[in-house]
Amino acid sequence: MDPFTRRTALRAAAVGTAGLAIAAPGVADAATDQARQRAFAAAAAEFGVPEQVLLGVSYLKSRWDANAGLPSRGAGFGPMHLTDLRTVAAGGSHHDKGTEDPRGDLARPALHPVEPRRAAPVAALQTVDLAAELTGASPDALRTDPAQNIRGGAAVLAHYQRQLGISGTDPADWYGAVSRYSGATDSTAAAFFADEVFNTITSGASRVTDDGQAVHLTATNVSPARGQLRALDLPAAARGDVEAPPGLSAEWIPAPYEKTKDGYGNYDKAERPQSQQITHIVIHDTECSYDVALGLVQDPTYLGWHYTLRSSDGHVAQHILTKDVGWHAGNWYVNAKSIGVEHEGFGAQGTWYTEAMYRASAKLVRYLADKYRIPLDRQHIIGHDNVPGTIPSTVAGMHWDPGPYWDWGHYFDLLGAPLHDWARHNTGLVTIKPDFATNQPGFTGCDTAGAACTLRGSSAVVLHTEPRDDAPLLKDPGLHPDGSPSTMDVADVGSRVAAGQRYAVAEIRGDWTAIWFLGQKGWFRSASGVPALGPAVTPKPGLATVPVYGRAYPEAEAYPANIPPQDLVPLQYTFAAGQKYAAGPLLPGEYYWATTFDPSTHVVVRGETEYMQIQFGHRVAYVKADDVVLGRA
């Protein structure tokens, strides 16, 4: 491990032990609209629900946001996350779409999963129906009108309380109803959600929502009646061999490792970290419901990832031991050195994630990062959309989840590693850090190709060829080999950066900053970035260009006689003299030969070549360490 990576790891391990804090921007001034605060108070009074409980439940679902009436990744709507699976596609998976081979090992035939049948809606995912029956409001109003949505959520909570035969407005007596509101099907998950709600009530929270509403929950010390959970008669989760922190709702639902008529599925046995160091955690979304995802990962003809998280309550299912290699990222080098974490979601149709899932994911990822000494930064905690294509022909088919609406800034707050601006002046590096709520790029294609998406908060910042808003977007020859510019399609990452990513500054003009991006200067408004500290790489003197790779494989001489060398094929991009790119970890040249069902035949091929991971575009890439000079930007 190089000195910079070692220092980063030590710093990350330190911050990783910090407790989760309520991520709240703070109360706005008196001029900010407080209609939502009044809506919570009115609904609490109308249905006899303690206002703290109503606010706490809503915070764990949506952080009180309206999300422009759009569904969550778990088919939930509005501040109270009333669910309506009928209105959101229930089938498919992001692994079924595009041309990406999730295994990404060119030594084996490409793996192209078949789209599964759609799942029928279930009662637990149709709380909007119950809310409509209890309030008389229409399902459409409950989905799109925040005040009606809050009424609906209060009515459902009160209904659950009546079913338990409990009366009164003492918040402590609402633990059972809150547990049931989670939608959990086991007692562990229900308790996790309820405990997070009551922890929020005890800590208090204040923030301004995505539509400018100031909402405040006064800290109230409550000792909830946890014994009420027994009245729900929910089974305990089968924790089994699960690798997760204590207190997190998690169970073991194994992916099969078995032979099929076409080979075997749906992961590879390994002995990490003894065989290979685990260096990355890859954040995915499923683009299908949680239940569909569980069915897929248990199908030996499909593929495998390590964890799936449920949207409604943050419940975690583990499918593959972290020592083994999943087929999930579309790049075998990344798969062999990473852990894949899927989050329940429906692609562009569902554009936001619940707070319960963010919190559960952050607890899980912090645990894994601490276990494997993975630094908590965007060089090591990456999205599927940051994984590079393996060779030029696979670049266009790589996936783009979790997409531009994943709140990386909030996620790193929960990880205990906030995206700080460590420097106060131009350092030659910049960390992308837009204000999520007010940064609303005009993407297209969320529902219909070419149609405008509803404007809403995003982690993504769009790059231009010149320092003006109407300038063209950059070109990405991997995604657009015809030479046309990138587009504003929600899936097109060819001219887009995201919160937490770090880039080398190429130029500054007035209120605009240019960064080096895919061999070009990409301009964005400087307010969406902060000066950063860290190393950068440039071509060694005398080199006009440096090859850029999508996988960090060893030189041909390193392979044993019985293992065919993997070709070192550069990607179709140019890293020219005079350009700089932010440096990530120094990585060994390795190839995991695992083409048979018998793990005793698997071999880790190690070479002398070392690679530097760089932030080259929206995706990372690799350059040979001998081709570049590493220094401070």
Side-chain angles (χ1 to χ4, degrees), residues 366-410:
R366 276 185 20 181
Y367 163 85
L368 295 171
D370 182 62
K371 181 176 181 178
Y372 293 111
R373 296 179 59 80
I374 301 172
L376 290 170
D377 59 38
R378 289 285 275 119
Q379 287 77 45
H380 299 82
I381 312 300
I382 61 176
H384 193 177
D385 55 344
N386 306 135
V387 176
T390 52
I391 59 176
S393 62
T394 67
V395 171
M398 297 300 290
H399 290 158
W400 57 278
D401 60 296
Y405 302 117
W406 177 270
D407 191 345
W408 284 107
H410 180 53

Side-chain angles (χ1 to χ4, degrees), residues 148-159:
Q148 291 299 323
N149 184 271
I150 292 168
R151 286 187 68 243
V156 170
L157 272 169
H159 174 73

Side-chain angles (χ1 to χ4, degrees), residues 82-392:
L82 294 175
T83 51
D84 188 359
L85 190 61
R86 281 195 306 270
T87 68
V88 182
S93 161
H94 73 279
H95 294 296
D96 311 322
K97 299 171 176 64
T99 60
E100 181 187 276
D101 167 11
R103 190 163 51 200
D105 183 6
L106 301 186
R108 292 181 267 187
L111 183 68
H112 292 301
V114 177
E115 182 174 350
R117 291 181 298 173
R118 295 177 182 270
V122 296
L125 295 176
Q126 285 299 137
T127 55
V128 72
D129 295 345
L130 176 59
E133 178 184 341
L134 294 170
T135 64
S138 70
D140 182 65
L142 289 164
R143 287 191 298 265
T144 60
D145 183 331
Q148 291 299 323
N149 184 271
I150 292 168
R151 286 187 68 243
V156 170
L157 272 169
H159 174 73
Y160 292 160
Q161 186 78 336
R162 288 192 299 272
Q163 287 186 323
L164 291 171
I166 303 171
S167 60
T169 57
D170 183 349
D173 289 333
W174 285 74
Y175 189 87
V178 170
S179 298
R180 184 168 179 186
Y181 197 94
S182 69
T185 56
D186 65 80
S187 59
T188 311
F192 173 79
F193 178 83
D195 286 343
E196 289 292 313
V197 168
F198 280 93
N199 287 342
T200 301
I201 293 172
T202 298
S203 301
S206 298
R207 68 184 300 266
V208 177
T209 67
D210 59 351
D211 53 351
Q213 298 285 324
V215 184
H216 177 73
L217 169 59
T218 301
T220 306
N221 190 18
V222 178
S223 297
R226 291 184 169 86
Q228 293 177 359
L229 184 65
R230 291 190 294 271
L232 301 184
D233 198 26
L234 295 173
R239 196 167 177 94
D241 294 328
V242 70
E243 300 165 278
L248 186 65
S249 172
E251 64 180 316
W252 176 246
I253 301 178
Y257 186 74
E258 60 186 63
K259 291 184 177 180
T260 66
K261 64 182 180 67
D262 297 319
Y264 67 95
N266 53 9
Y267 61 96
D268 280 298
K269 296 283 188 179
E271 292 297 335
R272 303 185 304 176
Q274 289 77 21
S275 56
Q276 284 186 282
Q277 184 182 3
I278 300 173
T279 56
H280 292 73
I281 297 173
V282 182
I283 303 298
H284 300 260
D285 76 36
T286 61
E287 298 196 15
C288 64
S289 72
Y290 176 80
D291 290 337
V292 168
L294 295 191
L296 295 175
V297 80
Q298 294 176 86
D299 179 353
T301 67
Y302 204 65
L303 55 110
W305 52 91
H306 294 86
Y307 297 91
T308 305
L309 277 79
R310 189 163 59 203
S311 175
S312 60
D313 55 8
H315 179 65
V316 177
Q318 183 176 1
H319 315 298
I320 301 173
L321 295 176
T322 55
K323 72 181 185 67
D324 295 325
V325 177
W327 303 344
H328 60 92
N331 183 313
W332 185 241
Y333 182 80
V334 175
N335 280 338
K337 300 181 73 64
S338 71
I339 296 169
V341 183
E342 295 271 6
H343 298 77
E344 182 182 11
F346 290 97
Q349 272 192 302
T351 54
W352 59 282
Y353 299 84
T354 65
E355 179 69 3
M357 187 160 66
Y358 273 129
R359 289 192 180 197
S361 179
K363 288 184 177 182
L364 174 65
V365 168
R366 276 185 20 181
Y367 163 85
L368 295 171
D370 182 62
K371 181 176 181 178
Y372 293 111
R373 296 179 59 80
I374 301 172
L376 290 170
D377 59 38
R378 289 285 275 119
Q379 287 77 45
H380 299 82
I381 312 300
I382 61 176
H384 193 177
D385 55 344
N386 306 135
V387 176
T390 52
I391 59 176

Side-chain angles (χ1 to χ4, degrees), residues 335-537:
N335 280 338
K337 300 181 73 64
S338 71
I339 296 169
V341 183
E342 295 271 6
H343 298 77
E344 182 182 11
F346 290 97
Q349 272 192 302
T351 54
W352 59 282
Y353 299 84
T354 65
E355 179 69 3
M357 187 160 66
Y358 273 129
R359 289 192 180 197
S361 179
K363 288 184 177 182
L364 174 65
V365 168
R366 276 185 20 181
Y367 163 85
L368 295 171
D370 182 62
K371 181 176 181 178
Y372 293 111
R373 296 179 59 80
I374 301 172
L376 290 170
D377 59 38
R378 289 285 275 119
Q379 287 77 45
H380 299 82
I381 312 300
I382 61 176
H384 193 177
D385 55 344
N386 306 135
V387 176
T390 52
I391 59 176
S393 62
T394 67
V395 171
M398 297 300 290
H399 290 158
W400 57 278
D401 60 296
Y405 302 117
W406 177 270
D407 191 345
W408 284 107
H410 180 53
Y411 191 59
F412 271 81
D413 285 342
L414 294 174
L415 284 170
L419 304 177
H420 286 306
D421 47 334
W422 296 101
R424 298 298 177 187
H425 57 83
N426 179 27
T427 60
L429 287 176
V430 62
T431 295
I432 306 302
K433 191 181 177 184
D435 179 77
F436 185 85
T438 59
N439 178 53
Q440 300 184 355
F443 295 124
T444 63
C446 288
D447 297 302
T448 305
C453 301
T454 302
L455 292 177
R456 65 177 314 275
S458 172
S459 287
V461 174
V462 177
L463 301 177
H464 298 271
T465 54
E466 298 178 44
R468 51 187 177 84
D469 292 316
D470 61 350
L473 304 187
L474 303 184
K475 294 181 179 181
D476 184 335
L479 298 182
H480 303 282
D482 61 356
S484 61
S486 300
T487 70
M488 288 299 291
D489 186 272
V490 69
D492 189 342
V493 300
S495 189
R496 184 185 304 172
V497 294
Q501 292 181 315
R502 192 173 63 207
Y503 293 88
V505 175
E507 188 178 350
I508 296 175
R509 289 190 212 167
D511 295 333
W512 289 79
T513 296
I515 57 173
W516 290 114
F517 186 96
L518 300 180
Q520 307 157 77
K521 287 184 180 181
W523 292 89
F524 68 94
R525 289 194 174 272
S526 302
S528 291
V530 294
L533 299 176
V537 296

